[in-house]
Amino acid sequence: MAITLHADVLKFATQDKPLTELDDIDALARTYRPRLLRFVMASVRDEDLADTIVQDTLLKAYRNRAGFRGDCSLNTWLTGIAVNLIRDHARTQKFKFWRKAHATAVDATDMANHLRSGGSSPESALLAREQALQVHQAMEQLSPNQRSVFLLRFIEEMELSEIADAMDMPVNTVKTHLHRAVKSVRARVGNRVGGNTL
Amino acid sequence: MNANPNNSNTPLRDSLSDEQLSELLAVPAKFASDETAEVASLRAALDDYRAEMLQWAERRSSVQTSLVAAAQRSRFWSAIPQWSLAAVAVVAVAAGTVFVTGNHVTSNPAAEETAMTASAPAPKADIAEDNRLLNSIDQELSFHSTHTPVDGFGLSATHGDTKPATRSEVTD
C-alpha cells in the first residue's frame, strides 16, 4: 500500500513552533515578576519565601510552556501556578516555620519599611502609607482563600472568571470568598481610613 | 452614586451591603462618579496598597539575577530521574539474570559431582595409600606432642616434665 503525504502536511509537521513569550525566561521574568511578586508577597508576607515562590513559578511555567494552550491569558496562567505553589508551601512544615517566623518577626512595622510612598507631599505620602498598612493588616485576618481572592480582585484587578481559572474553583465560590473578605476588611479598615466613622 | 439620599456627606455604614461594596470597589474610579465616602476611602486605601506594593516588587525584581542558568539546571535535574530510573531498571534486570543463571550453573553440576563422588566405589590401592598417609600423620602428631618449638635449641631445663632419657633414646 502506497502512502502519500500532502506537501502541506509535511510542511506543517516539520516547521518549528513559533517562539512565544514563554520561550525567553528572562523576558518573561522582566514582564511578570513584579506583579507576581506583589501578589505572592501580599499572600505569604515573607520576602525570601515570596522570591522563592515567584522564581519557582517562572521556572515551572518555562518548563511546562508546551502545556499552555492559550485558554486564558498568560497572566492568569502564571497566577494560577503561583496560587498552587502557595498552597503547596502552606501544606509543608517549611511554610509553617515561615509562618511562625512571620508572626514574630514580619509585622506591619517591617512592612512599613518596604512601603515608601511616592506621594507628592510628605503628608500625602504618610497618609497613603498609613492606608496601605491598614489594608495590609486587615488582610492578615483573612483565610488563605479569602486573601487570595481579595488580592486578585482588588489588587491584581482580575475578573471573577479569571480568578476562578487561576484558583481552579467555581465563580460562585470565588464570590463567596470575596464577600467574606470584603466584610472582614470593611470592618477593620472602614472604621479607620481617613478618620471617618463609617 | 450615593446610598444615603438623606445626607450625602455622612453616608451610613449599613447603607451598602458587602456584595454591593464589593461590586463598587471593582468598578474603576473613573466610572464611579458618585460614590459613598466609605467606597471612596476603601478604594483609595486599595489603590495606595496596590501602588506601594508594586513599587516594592519592581525595586526587588530589578536586582534579581537571570533565570537562564536556573532553568537549565532544573531541566538537567528533571532529566536525571529518568536516567536513574532507566539505569536502576537495567541494573536490576541484569543482576536478576546473573543471579538466576549463576545459581543454575554453579549449583546443579556441583550437586551432581558430589553425588557421583559419594556413590563411586574407591579402589583398594587408594584406600591403602590413604591409610598409610593417616598413620604417618598420627606418628608425626604423637612425636610433636612431646616436643615444643624451643626443644630444638637444647633448652630442656625449661621443661621440667621432659625427661632427658627419652630425648637420648630418640636421638640414639
Side-chain angles (χ1 to χ4, degrees):
Chain A
M1 183 177 70
I3 299 175
T4 57
L5 290 174
H6 195 274
D8 289 343
V9 174
L10 280 174
K11 185 180 177 183
F12 176 77
T14 57
Q15 75 180 10
D16 292 332
K17 286 176 65 179
L19 288 177
T20 67
E21 201 174 4
L22 281 165
D23 291 319
D24 185 349
I25 190 167
D26 278 342
L28 189 73
R30 276 195 300 275
T31 307
Y32 293 98
R33 192 203 290 263
R35 289 176 68 92
L36 285 170
L37 188 57
R38 174 176 65 180
F39 166 67
V40 176
M41 176 62 182
S43 298
V44 302
R45 297 165 175 240
D46 181 275
E47 297 173 14
D48 295 329
L49 184 58
D51 277 337
T52 302
I53 290 176
V54 170
Q55 177 166 319
D56 289 350
T57 300
L58 293 168
L59 288 173
K60 196 170 182 180
Y62 180 74
R63 279 201 303 271
N64 300 320
R65 60 191 183 279
F68 177 64
R69 297 183 301 274
D71 297 337
C72 58
S73 71
L74 189 51
N75 183 56
T76 302
W77 189 61
L78 290 169
T79 305
I81 295 173
V83 166
N84 284 330
L85 287 174
I86 291 169
R87 285 173 176 164
D88 290 345
H89 276 83
R91 293 189 192 105
T92 63
Q93 293 295 324
K94 181 182 174 186
F95 183 73
K96 286 178 182 174
F97 164 77
W98 282 116
R99 196 162 48 187
K100 284 180 184 175
H102 158 70
T104 57
V106 183
D107 56 12
T109 307
D110 292 326
M111 196 62 208
N113 295 327
H114 300 308
L115 300 176
R116 296 182 207 159
S117 177
S120 55
S121 67
E123 291 79 13
S124 63
L126 188 65
L127 180 61
R129 191 167 112 167
E130 185 184 348
Q131 290 179 337
L133 273 174
Q134 286 171 353
V135 173
H136 183 78
Q137 288 173 322
M139 283 190 292
E140 180 76 40
Q141 306 303 319
L142 302 179
S143 72
N145 276 336
Q146 288 173 5
R147 188 187 302 168
S148 293
V149 169
F150 187 87
L151 285 168
L152 293 176
R153 181 62 167 157
F154 297 123
I155 304 302
E156 302 306 321
E157 299 177 294
M158 291 170 65
E159 296 296 325
L160 292 174
S161 59
E162 292 176 320
I163 298 171
D165 285 340
M167 297 197 65
D168 195 22
M169 59 174 59
V171 172
N172 283 337
T173 308
V174 171
K175 286 181 180 176
T176 303
H177 286 308
L178 186 62
H179 293 155
R180 288 176 182 166
V182 167
K183 186 175 185 178
S184 177
V185 172
R186 185 184 193 184
R188 292 181 168 274
V189 178
N191 289 329
R192 291 179 291 177
V193 169
N196 292 333
T197 302
L198 300 172
Chain B
M1 178 175 137
N2 191 340
N4 182 14
N6 296 327
N7 188 348
S8 59
N9 294 325
T10 57
L12 297 174
R13 189 186 184 289
D14 294 332
S15 58
L16 289 175
S17 68
D18 294 325
E19 289 78 6
Q20 287 174 320
L21 181 65
S22 176
E23 288 171 7
L24 287 172
L25 284 174
V27 176
K30 59 185 177 183
F31 298 120
S33 56
D34 186 16
E35 61 185 12
T36 64
E38 181 187 20
V39 175
S41 297
L42 268 176
R43 185 192 302 282
L46 291 169
D47 288 345
D48 289 335
Y49 186 71
R50 186 187 307 115
E52 297 291 333
M53 286 295 286
L54 186 58
Q55 279 185 21
W56 171 85
E58 284 174 341
R59 281 198 304 272
R60 196 166 177 89
S61 297
S62 65
V63 296
Q64 297 289 331
T65 56
S66 170
L67 287 175
V68 173
Q72 289 172 346
R73 234 183 357 256
S74 65
R75 189 168 49 189
F76 173 77
W77 285 111
S78 65
I80 284 293
Q82 296 173 1
W83 299 349
S84 62
L85 282 177
V88 166
V90 168
V91 168
V93 169
T97 303
V98 168
F99 180 75
V100 172
T101 308
N103 273 351
H104 179 74
V105 169
T106 57
S107 63
N108 289 343
E112 287 173 3
E113 285 176 5
T114 305
M116 287 174 65
T117 304
S119 60
K124 291 183 178 178
D126 290 344
I127 294 173
E129 182 66 24
D130 289 345
N131 287 333
R132 278 195 298 273
L133 182 62
L134 289 172
N135 287 332
S136 64
I137 290 171
D138 289 340
Q139 287 173 1
E140 285 293 319
L141 289 175
S142 62
F143 171 78
H144 285 296
S145 65
T146 58
H147 291 76
T148 65
V150 294
D151 287 344
F153 297 104
L155 302 174
S156 56
T158 58
H159 302 280
D161 295 338
T162 304
K163 296 178 180 178
T166 307
R167 179 183 292 274
S168 62
E169 286 174 4
V170 173
T171 53
D172 289 342

